[in-house]
Amino acid sequence: MKKNDMKQQLLQLGNGAHALATQILGNTDDAADAVHDAFARVLSKPDAYDARTGGLKPWFLRVVRNGCIDQIRRRRPADNAVDELQDQAPGPDVVVEVAQRDRALQNALAKLSAGQREIIVLRDYMDLSYAEIADVQEIAQGTVMSRLHRARMALKEELTRHD
Amino acid sequence: MTKQRQVDQHIGELLSGLLDGELTQQQRQMVKLHCEGCAECSENLESLRVLRKRIGDAALSEVGEDKWREHMNDKRVETPRSIGWILFIGGLLVVAGIAVSAFLFSDEIHIGMKFLIIAIYGGLATLLYSVLRQRLIERKTDKYKDVEI
């Protein structure tokens, strides 16, 4: 894929990638840095993307996700980054930044585990298929439906509690 | 656990699958049939549909395309790498030039020895060039390169 074509496609993915990174890192500034780094990494080696192995969207989101995990590892190298994902939640600054109408949703999302937030953003915000979600999260495709359903039910419960 | 209860639990996640269009025809029919006779699942399906729309319409990130374009065109992205390569190759060429000129204009090395050394290094460079060229052509044209054995 030509670099300029890739740039155009990546532009459309910026906000979704930022939303995903925010859910993982719990901070919009760190999330923007993660997306910026992912852009830099991908655009410095555009040939690394092979269209035959899947879409650019899940591939780029996997780069962003791995970058976020690396960032968490750098923050606290002694801990297992993936375990720490479970404890990260968007802080109050994130909640303040979102529009009023989405505040309840953001608050409810913050109550879920990182894995649940991630899978909801990937499916309902980024509109990825189950196969693509499995690819991004590096999990078996067969587990996506149950994980997603549990996450949605948990979110629904949180929203009901807030409303 | 009764069979009916197991079916009910299974239907739960299939509701998400139905909503996302990820079920087989058989599963779709089963869930639709179940929902026709089950008010709770039918209600659940509708609430999940509303929830999904709410998330899809939400502004979970409001950075904007222009900002991402700035990020992408940020010189920090491409400049360091380019500068690194220019410095490395430039430095290498200067050092190589000095070494070659010192070698060629040296009075201490016999002219025959100079030819011999030039032949050896020239031969090595030619071999390296031909191997690299062949590899490059193979990389571009080999349709089986991604086949895992």
Side-chain angles (χ1 to χ4, degrees), chain A residues 72-84 87:
Chain A
I72 292 169
R73 280 204 182 107
R74 279 198 299 274
R75 275 187 216 159
R76 295 174 68 179
D79 293 346
N80 182 328
V82 179
D83 286 348
E84 194 179 333
D87 303 326

Side-chain angles (χ1 to χ4, degrees), chain B residues 69-85:
Chain B
R69 191 172 282 115
E70 273 176 38
H71 273 271
M72 233 178 240
N73 295 329
D74 187 347
K75 292 299 171 200
R76 277 183 300 166
V77 174
E78 292 174 14
T79 308
R81 188 174 290 251
S82 309
I83 290 174
W85 276 112

Side-chain angles (χ1 to χ4, degrees), chain A residues 57-122:
Chain A
K57 194 167 162 181
W59 181 77
F60 178 65
L61 291 175
R62 199 169 61 230
V63 173
V64 172
R65 184 177 187 269
N66 289 341
C68 290
I69 292 172
D70 285 346
Q71 210 179 109
I72 292 169
R73 280 204 182 107
R74 279 198 299 274
R75 275 187 216 159
R76 295 174 68 179
D79 293 346
N80 182 328
V82 179
D83 286 348
E84 194 179 333
L85 283 179
Q86 305 301 318
D87 303 326
Q88 293 279 336
D93 58 324
V94 176
V95 178
V96 170
E97 281 175 27
V98 298
Q100 183 76 30
R101 67 191 163 88
D102 298 326
R103 196 165 293 173
L105 178 64
Q106 189 64 265
N107 278 326
L109 270 173
K111 294 279 194 304
L112 307 186
S113 71
Q116 288 180 323
R117 292 196 300 271
E118 249 188 88
I119 204 165
I120 284 176
V121 168
L122 289 172

